[in-house]
Amino acid sequence: MGLKISEEEFRRIMESGKRVDGRAWDELRPIKIRIGVTERAEGSALFEMGKTRVLCVVRGPMECIPSHIADPERAILDVAYRMATFSTEERKSPTPSRREIELSKIIREALEPALFLEEYPRMMIKVYCLVLQADAGTRTASINAASLALAHAGIPMRDLVTSVAVGYCYGKIVVDLCSVEDELCADVPIAMMPSYRKITLLQADHRLPIDRLPEILEIGTKAIDKIYQLQKRALREMYATTTREITGGE
Ligand code: ADP
C-alpha cells in the first residue's frame, strides 16, 4: 500500500530518534476543520489530518426507511464509511469492500454512546463518511468529522467523540500515524468522549506488549484532548460566524 521506504530504512530512522516525516513522537499532523460544507444536509463537516481528508454528511433524524427495520425503542444510527475511487494512489474499486463495511460498524459503535438515540424511536439518523484522500487514520478522521457533523445537524449529544491512532514501533510510542508508520507499526486507534474520559473505540491491529497499554492510552488521551479543543473551537467559530451573519456583524 504505497510504502516509500524499506523496513530497514524505517527502523534506522526510528532508532535514530526521529519519525519518517520529522514529527515529534507525540506530534499530530496539521489539522483543518470546516463545518457546514453542503447545504442540502442537516449537518456536514470536513476534517483533515495531514493528507487524510474526510467529508462527513448527516441526515435526520428522519423517518426510518425501509420502515420494517425501524426500532420502536430508539433511532437507528446508519453509518456508511466509503473511500472515494480517487482517494488512493491506485484507483479504489467503487464496490464497498469488507473493510469499508467493517469500518462503518466500528464508526457507528464509536459514535452511539454519545447520542440520545432512545429519544427518537422509529427514526433514523444517517451518517455518511466519504474519504476524499487517504493517508492512514481514515477511521479516526471519520469519527472526528462525524461527531462535528452530528453537532452541526443539531442532534443532542452527551459529548463530542474524538479519535486518534497511536502506534507502537521498535519500543517507541507515536501519535497519529502516517501511512508508512501505519504499515510498519502496531496501530491502536482510540476514540473517546473526552469530557467523560469514556473510551468508545479501542483496537489493536498487531501484537504489542500489554504493559505499554496504559502509556499508549495516556499519550492517546493527551492527543485526543488537543483535537477536542480544535473541534470545540471550530463549532464555536461556526456559530459566531452565523450570529454575525444574522446580526450584520454587530
Ligand atoms: P485507517 O485509514 O483507519 O488507518 P487502515 O489501517 O485499514 O485504516 O488503512 C490504513 C491506510 O491504508 C488507509 O488510510 C489508506 O491510506 C490505505 N488503504 C486502505 N485501504 C486501501 C485501499 N483499498 N487501497 C489503497 N490504500 C488503502
Side-chain angles (χ1 to χ4, degrees), residues 1 83 88 92 99 134-139 182 187:
M1 273 190 273
M83 286 175 82
T88 51
K92 147 99 190 34
R99 176 181 168 275
D135 186 42
T138 60
R139 82 195 60 194
D182 185 276
D187 176 15

Side-chain angles (χ1 to χ4, degrees), residues 78-99:
D78 179 32
V79 176
Y81 161 100
R82 299 283 182 268
M83 286 175 82
T85 53
F86 49 81
S87 64
T88 51
E89 262 172 52
E90 303 238 327
R91 180 181 179 274
K92 147 99 190 34
S93 157
T95 313
S97 61
R98 279 177 66 107
R99 176 181 168 275

Side-chain angles (χ1 to χ4, degrees), residues 4-250:
K4 295 279 181 345
I5 62 169
S6 68
E7 199 166 339
E8 294 70 47
E9 175 75 354
F10 178 75
R11 185 182 185 126
R12 197 189 57 69
I13 295 171
M14 289 290 290
E15 287 178 349
S16 73
K18 296 195 194 103
R19 287 175 76 173
V20 273
D21 54 10
R23 277 183 291 157
W25 304 121
D26 62 349
E27 191 178 337
L28 294 162
R29 292 176 289 180
I31 291 174
K32 276 197 213 162
I33 298 173
R34 223 180 116 193
I35 297 172
V37 283
T38 68
E39 288 186 18
R40 302 266 184 271
E42 284 81 356
S44 58
L46 192 60
F47 191 95
E48 288 181 40
M49 287 171 110
K51 292 186 200 150
T52 291
R53 186 174 301 164
V54 177
L55 169 68
C56 179
V57 172
V58 168
R59 301 299 320 260
M62 60 208 270
E63 190 188 338
C64 191
I65 299 170
S67 57
H68 69 85
I69 65 165
D71 183 337
E73 305 288 333
R74 64 208 290 268
I76 288 179
L77 184 67
D78 179 32
V79 176
Y81 161 100
R82 299 283 182 268
M83 286 175 82
T85 53
F86 49 81
S87 64
T88 51
E89 262 172 52
E90 303 238 327
R91 180 181 179 274
K92 147 99 190 34
S93 157
T95 313
S97 61
R98 279 177 66 107
R99 176 181 168 275
E100 287 168 296
I101 293 163
E102 184 195 326
L103 287 194
S104 301
K105 174 177 180 287
I106 281 164
I107 295 165
R108 173 172 60 74
E109 288 174 354
L111 295 169
E112 271 179 347
L115 298 171
F116 297 89
L117 294 176
E118 63 286 358
E119 297 291 325
Y120 304 96
R122 309 197 64 80
M123 308 286 273
M124 177 177 256
I125 299 170
K126 284 187 170 249
V127 175
Y128 193 83
C129 298
L130 181 64
V131 179
L132 302 174
Q133 199 164 274
D135 186 42
T138 60
R139 82 195 60 194
T140 58
S142 295
I143 292 168
N144 293 331
S147 68
L148 288 166
L150 285 161
H152 181 226
I155 293 172
M157 297 168 80
R158 293 179 172 86
D159 195 3
L160 291 170
V161 183
T162 311
S163 182
V164 79
V166 180
Y168 176 81
C169 350
Y170 307 117
K172 305 276 193 329
I173 295 171
V174 293
V175 157
D176 184 22
L177 312 181
C178 62
S179 54
V180 175
E181 292 170 333
D182 185 276
E183 282 181 55
L184 296 173
C185 305
D187 176 15
V188 184
I190 307 167
M192 194 181 267
M193 287 158 57
S195 296
Y196 295 89
R197 288 292 187 255
K198 182 178 164 58
I199 292 174
T200 64
L201 166 77
L202 183 62
Q203 295 181 282
D205 73 349
H206 278 282
R207 290 167 74 91
L208 53 95
I210 194 74
D211 60 326
R212 301 295 298 274
L213 193 58
E215 206 183 334
I216 288 172
L217 286 175
E218 193 189 322
I219 290 170
T221 303
K222 282 192 182 138
I224 280 175
D225 280 336
K226 289 184 200 161
I227 301 169
Y228 185 50
Q229 296 310 322
L230 295 175
Q231 286 176 302
K232 286 197 294 186
R233 200 172 94 195
L235 282 169
R236 267 198 304 269
E237 282 177 10
M238 189 264 303
Y239 284 113
T241 312
T242 310
T243 308
R244 269 201 301 277
E245 277 169 10
I246 291 166
T247 60
E250 295 306 308

